[in-house]
Amino acid sequence: MSKEPKFKTYTISDLSKEFEVTPRALRLYEESGLLGPKREGNKRIYLERDRVRLRLLLRGKRLGCTLSEIKDIFDMYETKSGEKGQILMLLEKMDDRRKKLQIQRQDVDMALEEIERVYQKIRKSLDEIEASEKINS
């Protein structure tokens, strides 16, 4: 008789390797209430639900969400507002994040333009110095 678990489970090492995160990060996510592995002594046993949540959590981080915002989204799924409420909240967060990134893009573009102006002035000054040196030598 096989002792194969009814549901696929994962160790902290399994998830660390699969998602290229440190075990320390997984423990932080657990402390933050984002993951909820079962325990066998000191051993953490992650279920498929934790694996899916980790994938969504990492996607949220890539999009610029804080762990607190991600937790709010996860918690909303558990309430009676359910999936629709979760989607509406996510849309609002993504709109806010998009606006912030667009502002940052404008700031970066302006900084690059300023750097280019200064660079051209400095380059012109250097060219003038080098031309003067050629004449005087």
Side-chain angles (χ1 to χ4, degrees):
M1 184 176 252
S2 169
K3 287 194 172 192
E4 187 73 23
K6 211 174 198 181
F7 301 101
K8 178 133 176 73
T9 60
Y10 306 89
T11 65
I12 197 167
S13 296
D14 294 335
L15 293 182
S16 292
K17 288 176 191 169
E18 180 179 352
F19 292 97
E20 298 178 348
V21 296
T22 64
R24 183 175 182 214
L26 292 175
R27 289 190 293 273
L28 172 68
Y29 302 150
E30 180 183 350
E31 289 170 14
S32 300
L34 294 163
L35 299 177
K38 298 190 182 303
R39 296 289 194 129
E40 285 182 6
N42 287 335
K43 187 177 177 184
R44 290 170 169 82
I45 308 294
Y46 294 91
L47 302 176
E48 185 63 26
R49 176 180 189 268
D50 295 304
R51 186 177 165 277
V52 169
R53 286 173 71 102
L54 179 58
R55 183 172 37 83
L56 294 172
L57 183 162
L58 295 173
R59 182 179 298 156
K61 284 186 56 161
R62 281 192 307 275
L63 293 172
C65 295
T66 66
L67 293 183
S68 175
E69 290 170 328
I70 294 167
K71 184 168 183 350
D72 289 345
I73 293 166
F74 284 178
D75 289 348
M76 179 160 282
Y77 186 73
E78 305 294 328
T79 66
K80 57 186 163 185
S81 62
E83 188 175 5
K84 181 180 178 183
Q86 188 181 34
I87 289 170
L88 290 170
M89 176 188 254
L90 186 56
L91 285 172
E92 180 182 329
K93 298 235 180 260
M94 293 300 97
D95 284 341
D96 289 345
R97 184 67 183 144
R98 180 187 311 137
K99 288 173 188 170
K100 287 177 186 173
L101 286 172
Q102 287 169 338
I103 290 168
Q104 288 176 342
R105 178 190 287 166
Q106 290 171 350
D107 291 344
V108 168
D109 289 343
M110 288 172 49
L112 287 171
E113 288 172 13
E114 181 63 21
I115 287 170
E116 186 60 29
R117 277 192 294 277
V118 170
Y119 181 88
Q120 292 304 323
K121 285 182 181 180
I122 294 170
R123 185 79 225 165
K124 183 179 178 188
S125 294
L126 179 60
D127 291 345
E128 290 170 357
I129 291 169
E130 289 174 343
S132 175
E133 287 175 346
K134 284 184 184 177
I135 293 173
N136 294 330
S137 52

